[in-house]
């Protein structure tokens, strides 16, 4: 399946290669680099490419290209999903997934890749299993290893690998047993010029952090499970149980994981927490334009809107901006033409406002389309869909865990067209 | 060297030093006798390999370390070896013996990694060695090693394709493997080596379908795509006209079997093969997977295999994937684009999910546009066009141009909006952006061609705009339009030609060609006005720099200007130039993509990728479906042999697992008792652990049989199978059909030794009450089954009364999960975990579900920690037959030390009444603070609910406690057929019958709910019933073994007639009261 993997940075340097079958020359990447040159933005490189003898499937993440070489027919999503899993694993192990950190940990990276694939077929992709085989690097451990000569590599087959719950380590022990669940909902919306909702939906995710000893069997139930329209689960969730009773029953992995993601049925009207009044215009004569944006609370359910931020991708012709913000501050990146207005908390009494002039390159045609506004916001203690966790029960172990549920609403892909 | 050593920790993986270090230094480090130095050197070498530098000359120095004890060093050497062995074949051979030795290592992990490396060394000389190693590993006890061997098959095949035949044998063997771990890898090998040997799949088809949910996600993808192909060869098309679609489909998850039973009985034109349905049903849950590849593969399976009306089940899941990474979106959108051409309705409800955001990547935008265009219909076109208006203004001009094309397509597809679109496009002609205008012109040109109606206004408008349009393609298009429709704009066309004659020399080539064309056409239609102009233009063209234009000019001149040389062609000039031209087809770029299987690389690239397996068309007539039936392999000799042989026989009877697995899943649903089962299971496993110390090994085996018995015994169906099995055991009847599958697997695994039984028993114990052994595979007639059941109920009692414990008896009962705990001491831990890997259930091996699958387990307080001076005790009835004496009721007591000091010598003291027959637990020597321990006791209540009083003593104190059983706990489930039930009921009339009309809560009216409520009250077995409104439960009292028959006839609305027949009339009235109460509450 996956023949080789090349890691390429955004400038086009190949800084790591790994082959699971016979070696393929890195010359194969030239095809890719050629396409990359043509595509202005790295995002625009098509994920699947064909070369005379190979197929190249790549992902672009954290300013790195993960390029895999394929020789025969394989579902492309299989490879893409796996490459993302690799990137996730690096993130998990090293805290970030960047060129420098991968170079610094090249041996661990190699050991990981060796375990993750055998002959191009995924072998162990669960973080809990990998961590039993190859311990993540920590400063303390590297010091200890140097002194004692012990290694980072386990010599036992991780227990999870054989069991039906490969996601969980065996013999987990904590002094404080705790299970936290974060219900995070994101509003994806497109608002048109006049503030009407063109499209809005809620995507939710339940992130869990469980530190529980032994083999706990958890059951999480909701007050209003009917809200959930489409769901996907971590493999630990017993699907049949959900089908019949609408409860999540699972033996959790150890540590952080995504328990489920869901989509709230589109019949429910989505509450849009803020309104945006905007007026961006470029004058026909003279090389300038005007910008005036006001944001105020709309349906916030009485909660505070925080982390408010507006991003505007200005047309290329806009040279500079001269604005005043009634709250927060703004930055304009001359190179990328991105205007960022960081507002912070939304004051319901005094809606924040940003206004001023834009200076446009003289001679350039008037930009035809006004730039869309991307809104970011956060509302703590609220799941905008109204989803509520009813209770969490634990079976199979005798201790009483500390349980907690937190709700949060965020703006996902929240765009205002102008 | 020293400098390096000092900070080699900090910079151990740093690239700086690599450049400084020369190979000699590395060699020196490798040859030193310090482990840390060697490791350091290897790390640097791996760093070199990662960078793509050549490190092959270090081979001799590295290969020496292959047998090093340090595991990390060893692994790094493996990495090196695999990378360079191909180049240094002779030297690589030095390492082979090390791997051969490691292949015999007791540690499965070492065996597996040795095989991995050995098979990765691409040295043709060792092919025979690899072959032997693979064959051995394929029969290894550890599923992990077997999985590795499946991977090795592919490696060997790519190294030496001549080994194909032998490898197929190994694949055939591994396909029979029941471990979920192996399934994905072996199917992968199958696809690689012999994808055409579809006959190897037949016998494993049902097993694979049923295992699928438990296979790891990557394996799922491979198996699903293989099964898609398989299904296309084996089943007939469900898409035929007048096809019958069973409405039960949606219910399939809940009551899968009823549907299957119905299928063959109904006489309809198309009946889906039960195996076909099985595949669809078992893959559906995977749509909820978090792995996008799995979701996609299920979606394509539905697309290619499911009846048309069921395909829309995948819509939501596919739309969900659009939230994922950009690359995922790209692939998913491509597939949706192909689907949406054929099936608009599927994605129309989620149309808004395809709205474009300005931040999307260009290829994503274009795909979304494609889909929106495909989805457009009369109803939604206005919405879509409004959306398109926004896109046209996009700063991304390539995208804006694509939008204009999309508008053009909408206009051709939906005639109602054609005019609107055309007008909109004309407005765009005044757009400032050239590309937009150009694209509009091109699209308008195409549209006008397809619209035979009068559009002279638009052509005139375009002629006016002509001066402002600079894009050559657009100018050329307008000129072409003028020429084509010159008769509709008789005044303007010659004028345009006049203008063009002026600017001919500065135009682009493509425009010049169209000028020549226009001139020629005008000459033919309006020669009076344009004769001179045309000649002028033809002269200009004659001396043009471009030979194409010169050619064209010469050709046109000969064609239109009559001369003596031109001959006959001249007459046809008009017909040649002004022939009605067919309108260009505006259609999706994804139109022909459906020739490739969805979700494949070929589909994504729209070319056939190497190794692409063509998806076969449905056969006209379904091949013999009995090939998928699996014969039972009579597990005769498996009892005696050592545990080491356990695996082989099991792989033979693959079909067993299917039913168990299925049952297990359904069971857990219907009864909804996983909470209770899991909570109590840990208790029970602890219990058996503690028992194992006090009990002899013989008893512990008895434990397993007994507890297993109870766990299954409570449900009619599963104990049915137990009974079947028993009958088979005692009479040695060889069954040919697959019917008593579950039963057989139990006995089989059990036969291998109690240890192996955990998986099957857990599966079985949780099996649902309403499932019966007549699965879809069940080809036996019900009558035959009944006959068996008739025979069996009597031997059962005999066996129970038998006191001796033998392995044979053990087989008569469903095996118990606990059995592996007491035995574990005997086994090596690795073996144990191997066997755990075989488990097919969803639950972890350590929390085996041992309790019957109903109702929450009620726990009662025995001793409060305040009164008990820190000792608290709770008890519950595990509903397992007591292992001490058959007449006793098993009770589990959980003792917890809530005090701050250690409690010592906890034991049972005096009893009251003194005659009370209690089997006490062994004295607990110490119980630490906060610790708790679960012990089990047996109490003979003599079929009365009189409390058992006894003293619970510690070293210092004694506390009087009492256990009062509910009447339902004094029963044992009993299994019988409907006929037996009626017969027995007939004997227990009059005094022995008690009945009452009761009112049930509305929530309890479904048969599942009734079973659940009844079983939560009383430890009874379900008697399968042919009437849906009649529910029957049977049991025996524990002490005397008297029959207790409960029947419930559901009347209209919520009332029901509850009848209890038993000789124990006191118990009957108490049971009646309890049941009435339970059914009344929701």
């Amino acid at each position: 399946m996956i023949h080789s993997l090349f890691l390429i940075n955004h400038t086009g340097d190949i800084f790591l290669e790994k082959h699971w079958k016979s070696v393929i020359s890195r010359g194969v990447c030239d095809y890719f680099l050629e396409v990359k040159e043509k595509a202005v933005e790295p995002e625009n490189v098509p994920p699947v490419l064909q070369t005379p003898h190979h197929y190249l499937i790549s992902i672009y993440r954290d300013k790195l290209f993960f390029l895999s070489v394929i020789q025969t027919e394989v579902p492309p999503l299989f490879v893409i999903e796996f490459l993302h899993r690799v990137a996730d694993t690096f993130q998990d192990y090293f805290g970030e997934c960047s060129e420098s950190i991968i170079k610094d940990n090249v041996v661990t990276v190699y050991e990981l890749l060796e375990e993750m694939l055998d002959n191009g077929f995924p072998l162990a992709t669960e973080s809990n299993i990998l961590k039993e085989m190859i311990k993540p690097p920590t400063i303390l451990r590297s010091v200890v290893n140097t002194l004692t000569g012990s290694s980072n590599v386990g010599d036992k087959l991780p227990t999870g690998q054989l069991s039906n719950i490969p996601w969980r380590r065996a013999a987990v022990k904590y002094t404080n047993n705790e299970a936290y669940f974060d219900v995070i909902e994101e509003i994806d919306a497109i608002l048109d010029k006049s503030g009407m909702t063109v499209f809005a939906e809620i995507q939710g995710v339940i992130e869990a952090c469980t530190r529980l000893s032994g083999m706990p069997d958890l059951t999480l139930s909701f007050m209003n499970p009917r809200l959930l329209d489409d769901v996907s689960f971590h493999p630990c969730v017993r699907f049949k149980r959900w089908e019949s009773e609408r409860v999540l029953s699972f033996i959790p992995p150890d540590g952080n994981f995504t328990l489920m993601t869901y989509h709230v049925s589109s019949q429910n009207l989505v509450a849009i927490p803020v309104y945006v009044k905007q007026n961006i215009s470029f004058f026909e004569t003279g090389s300038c334009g005007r910008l005036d944006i006001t944001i105020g609370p709309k349906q916030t359910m009485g909660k505070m809107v925080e982390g408010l931020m507006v991003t505007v991708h200005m047309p290329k012709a806009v040279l500079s901006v001269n604005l005043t913000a009634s709250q927060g501050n703004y930055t304009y990146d001359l190179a990328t033409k991105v205007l960022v207005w960081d507002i912070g908390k939304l004051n319901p009494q005094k809606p924040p406002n940003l206004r001023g002039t834009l200076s446009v390159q003289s001679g350039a045609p008037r930009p035809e389309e006004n730039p869309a506004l991307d809104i970011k916001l956060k509302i703590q203690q609220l799941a905008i869909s109204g989803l509520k966790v009813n209770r969490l029960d634990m079976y199979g172990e005798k201790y009483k865990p500390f349980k907690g549920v937190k709700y949060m609403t965020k703006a996902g892909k929240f765009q205002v067209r102008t | 060297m020293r400098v390096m050593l000092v900070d080699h920790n900090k910079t151990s993986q740093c690239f700086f030093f690599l450049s400084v270090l020369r190979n000699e230094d590395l060699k020196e480090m490798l040859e030193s006798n310090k482990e840390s130095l060697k490791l350091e050197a290897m790390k640097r070498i791996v760093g070199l390999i990662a960078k793509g530098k050549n490190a092959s000359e270090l081979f001799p120095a590295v290969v020496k370390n292959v047998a090093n004890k340090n595991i990390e060093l060893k692994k790094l050497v493996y990495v090196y070896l695999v990378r360079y062995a191909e180049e240094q074949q002779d030297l690589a051979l030095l390492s082979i013996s090390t791997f051969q030795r490691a292949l015999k290592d007791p540690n499965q992990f070492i065996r597996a990694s040795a095989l991995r490396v050995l098979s990765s060394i691409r040295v043709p000389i060792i092919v025979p060695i690899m072959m032997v190693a693979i064959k051995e590993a394929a029969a290894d006890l550890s599923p992990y090693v077997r999985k590795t061997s499946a991977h090795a098959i592919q490696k060997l095949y790519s190294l030496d394709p001549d080994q194909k035949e032998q490898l197929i044998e190994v694949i055939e063997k591994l396909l029979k493997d029941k471990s979920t771990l192996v399934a994905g890898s072996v199917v992968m090998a199958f696809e690689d080596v012999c994808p055409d040997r579809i006959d190897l799949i037949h016998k494993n088809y049902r097993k694979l379908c049923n295992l699928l949910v438990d296979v790891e996600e990557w394996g799922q993808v491979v198996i699903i795509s293989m099964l898609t192909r398989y299904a296309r060869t084996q089943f007939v098309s469900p898409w035929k006209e007048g096809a019958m679609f069973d409405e039960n489909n949606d219910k399939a998850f809940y009551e899968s079997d009823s549907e299957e039973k119905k299928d063959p009985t109904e006489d309809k034109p198309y009946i889906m093969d039960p195996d076909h349905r099985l595949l669809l049903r078992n893959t559906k849950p995977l749509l909820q997977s978090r792995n996008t590849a799995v979701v996609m593969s299920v979606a394509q399976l539905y697309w290619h295999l499911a009846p048309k009306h069921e395909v829309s089940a995948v819509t939501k899941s596919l739309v969900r994937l659009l939230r994922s990474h950009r690359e995922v979106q790209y692939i998913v959108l491509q597939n949706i684009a192909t689907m949406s051409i054929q099936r608009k309705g599927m994605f129309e409800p989620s149309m808004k999910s395809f709205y474009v955001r300005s931040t999307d990547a260009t290829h994503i935008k274009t795909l979304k546009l494609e889909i929106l265009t495909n989805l457009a219909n009369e109803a939604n076109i206005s919405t879509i066009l409004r959306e398109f208006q926004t896109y046209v203004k996009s700063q991304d001009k390539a995208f804006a141009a694509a939008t204009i094309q999309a508008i053009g397509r909408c206009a051709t597809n939906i005639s109602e909006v054609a005019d609107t679109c055309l007008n909109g496009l004309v407005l765009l002609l005044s757009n400032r952006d050239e590309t937009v205008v150009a694209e509009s012109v091109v699209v308008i040109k195409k549209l006008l061609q397809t619209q035979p109606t009068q559009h002279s206004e638009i052509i005139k408008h375009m002629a006016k705009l002509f001066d402002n349009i600079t894009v050559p393609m657009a100018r050329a298009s307008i000129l072409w339009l003028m020429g084509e429709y010159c008769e509709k704009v008789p005044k303007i066309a010659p004028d345009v030609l006049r203008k063009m004659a002026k600017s001919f020399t500065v135009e682009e080539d493509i425009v010049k060609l169209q000028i020549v064309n226009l001139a020629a056409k005008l000459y033919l239609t309006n020669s009076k006005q344009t004769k001179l102009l045309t000649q002028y233009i033809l002269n200009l063209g004659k001396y043009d720099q471009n030979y194409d234009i010169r050619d064209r000019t010469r050709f046109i001149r000969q064609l239109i200007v009559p001369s003596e040389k031109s001959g006959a062609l001249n007459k046809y000039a008009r017909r040649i130039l002004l022939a009605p031209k067919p309108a260009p087809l505006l259609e999706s770029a994804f139109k022909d993509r459906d020739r490739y299987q969805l979700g494949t690389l070929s589909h994504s690239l729209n070319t056939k990728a190497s190794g692409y397996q063509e998806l076969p068309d449905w056969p006209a007539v379904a091949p013999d479906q009995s090939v998928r039936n699996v014969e039972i392999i009579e597990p005769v000799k498996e009892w005696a042999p050592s545990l080491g042989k356990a695996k082989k026989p099991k792989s033979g009877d693959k079909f067993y697992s299917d039913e168990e697995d299925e049952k297990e899943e359904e069971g857990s649903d219907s009864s909804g008792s996983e909470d209770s089962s899991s909570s109590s299971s840990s208790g029970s496993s602890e219990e058996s652990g503690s028992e194992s110390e006090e009990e002899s090994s013989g008893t512990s085996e008895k434990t397993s049989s007994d507890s297993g018995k109870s766990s299954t015994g409570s449900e009619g169906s599963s104990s049915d199978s137990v009974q079947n099995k028993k009958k088979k055991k005692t009479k040695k009847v060889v069954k040919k059909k697959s019917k008593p599958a579950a039963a057989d697997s139990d006995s089989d695994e059990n036969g291998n030794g109690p240890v192996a039984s955990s998986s099957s028993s857990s599966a079985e114990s949780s099996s649902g009450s309403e499932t019966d052994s007549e699965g879809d595979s069940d080809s036996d007639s019900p009558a035959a089954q009944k006959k068996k059941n008739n025979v069996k109920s009597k031997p059962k009692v005999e066996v129970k009364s038998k006191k001796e414990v033998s392995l044979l008896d053990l087989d008569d009962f469903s095996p118990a999960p606990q059995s592996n705990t007491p035995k574990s001491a005997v086994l090596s831990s690795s073996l144990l975990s191997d066997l755990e890997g075989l488990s097919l259930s969803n639950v972890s091996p350590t929390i085996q579900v041992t309790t019957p699958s109903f109702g929450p387990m009620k726990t009662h307080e025995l001793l409060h920690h305040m009164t008990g001076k820190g000792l608290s005790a709770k008890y519950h009835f595990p509903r397992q037959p007591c292992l001490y004496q058959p007449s006793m009721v098993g009770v589990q007591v959980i003792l917890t030390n809530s005090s701050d000091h250690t409690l010592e010598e906890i034991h049972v003291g005096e009893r009251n009444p003194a005659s009370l027959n209690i089997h006490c637990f062994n004295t607990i020597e110490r119980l630490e603070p906060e610790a708790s321990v679960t012990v089990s006791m047996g109490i003979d209540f003599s079929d009365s609910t009189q409390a058992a009083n006894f003293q619970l003593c510690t070293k210092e104190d004694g506390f009087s406690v009492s256990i009062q059983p509910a009447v339902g706990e004094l029963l044992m489930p009993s299994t019988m057929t409907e006929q037996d039930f009626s017969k027995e009921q007939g004997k227990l009339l009059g005094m022995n019958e008690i009945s009452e009309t009761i009112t049930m809560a509305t929530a309890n009216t479904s048969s599942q709910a009734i079973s659940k409520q009844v079983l939560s009250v009383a430890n009874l077995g379900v008697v399968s019933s042919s009437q849906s409104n009649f529910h029957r439960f049977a049991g025996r009292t524990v002490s005397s073994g008297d029959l207790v028959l409960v029947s419930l006839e559901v009347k209209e609305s919520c009332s029901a007639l509850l009848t209890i027949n038993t000789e124990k009339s006191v118990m009957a009235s108490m049971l009646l009261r309890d049941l009435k109460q339970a059914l009344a509450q929701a």
Side-chain angles (χ1 to χ4, degrees), chain B residues 871 895-897 901-903 906 925-929 931-933:
Chain B
L871 178 68
L895 300 164
T896 312
N897 185 354
H901 55 90
T902 309
L903 295 170
I906 303 170
E925 293 303 336
R926 287 172 68 85
L927 191 60
E928 297 296 333
S932 67
V933 61

Side-chain angles (χ1 to χ4, degrees), chain A residues 26 81 114-115 188 240, chain B residues 51 75 292 323 669:
Chain A
R26 54 169 67 191
E81 176 80 26
E114 186 72 27
E115 287 305 330
D188 283 358
K240 295 280 177 176
Chain B
K51 275 180 88 182
K75 285 214 157 184
T292 58
R323 288 271 303 169
D669 275 347

Side-chain angles (χ1 to χ4, degrees), chain B residues 504-573:
Chain B
F504 185 86
T505 46
V506 292
E507 295 290 348
E508 289 277 334
D509 293 344
I510 180 175
V511 185
K512 285 178 180 168
L513 284 176
Q514 288 307 324
I515 296 173
V516 175
N517 270 353
L518 175 66
K521 284 173 186 170
L522 280 174
Y523 181 85
L524 291 176
T525 55
N526 189 2
S527 60
K528 210 185 282 172
Q529 273 187 301
T530 55
K531 192 170 180 179
L532 286 173
L533 263 179
T534 307
Q535 259 161 15
Y536 174 67
I537 287 170
L538 291 178
N539 282 333
L540 284 177
K542 194 173 172 182
Y543 301 106
D544 199 90
Q545 286 183 319
N546 185 307
Y547 45 78
D548 269 350
I549 294 166
R550 293 199 301 272
D551 268 3
R552 176 73 63 91
T553 319
R554 224 167 279 140
F555 162 69
I556 295 284
R557 188 189 291 276
Q558 291 303 316
L559 192 64
I560 60 171
V561 183
S563 65
E564 60 281 8
K565 268 186 267 175
S566 59
L569 205 57
N570 193 310
K571 288 174 203 156
Y572 301 105

Side-chain angles (χ1 to χ4, degrees), chain A residues 17 26 60 71 73 81 85 104-105 114-115 126 164 188 229 238 240 366 368 413 417, chain B residues 13 50-51 75 116 217 290 292 316 323 327 357 387 431-432 601-602 610 669 674 839:
Chain A
E17 62 178 68
R26 54 169 67 191
Y60 180 69
Q71 273 189 321
E73 171 66 51
E81 176 80 26
R85 219 49 91 71
D104 286 350
N105 295 288
E114 186 72 27
E115 287 305 330
E126 282 292 340
N164 281 316
D188 283 358
D229 183 32
R238 297 180 180 110
K240 295 280 177 176
R366 187 171 74 100
E368 213 175 319
K413 295 174 183 164
R417 290 175 178 168
Chain B
Q13 309 188 351
K51 275 180 88 182
K75 285 214 157 184
R116 264 183 77 183
E217 44 197 357
R290 68 167 169 173
T292 58
K316 273 183 191 171
R323 288 271 303 169
E327 297 83 7
R357 288 159 207 281
E387 189 64 19
N431 195 292
R432 255 170 307 142
L601 185 61
S602 306
S610 67
D669 275 347
E674 280 191 35
S839 157

Side-chain angles (χ1 to χ4, degrees), chain B residues 943-976:
Chain B
D943 291 347
S944 83
T945 52
Q946 203 181 7
N949 300 312
F950 56 93
Q951 279 210 315
L952 199 58
C953 305
T954 61
K955 196 176 183 183
E956 296 92 0
D957 298 292
F959 313 101
S960 293
V961 294
S962 80
I963 292 179
Q964 175 144 35
V967 64
E969 304 295 344
L970 300 175
L971 303 174
M972 292 271 296
S974 161
T975 47
M976 51 179 64

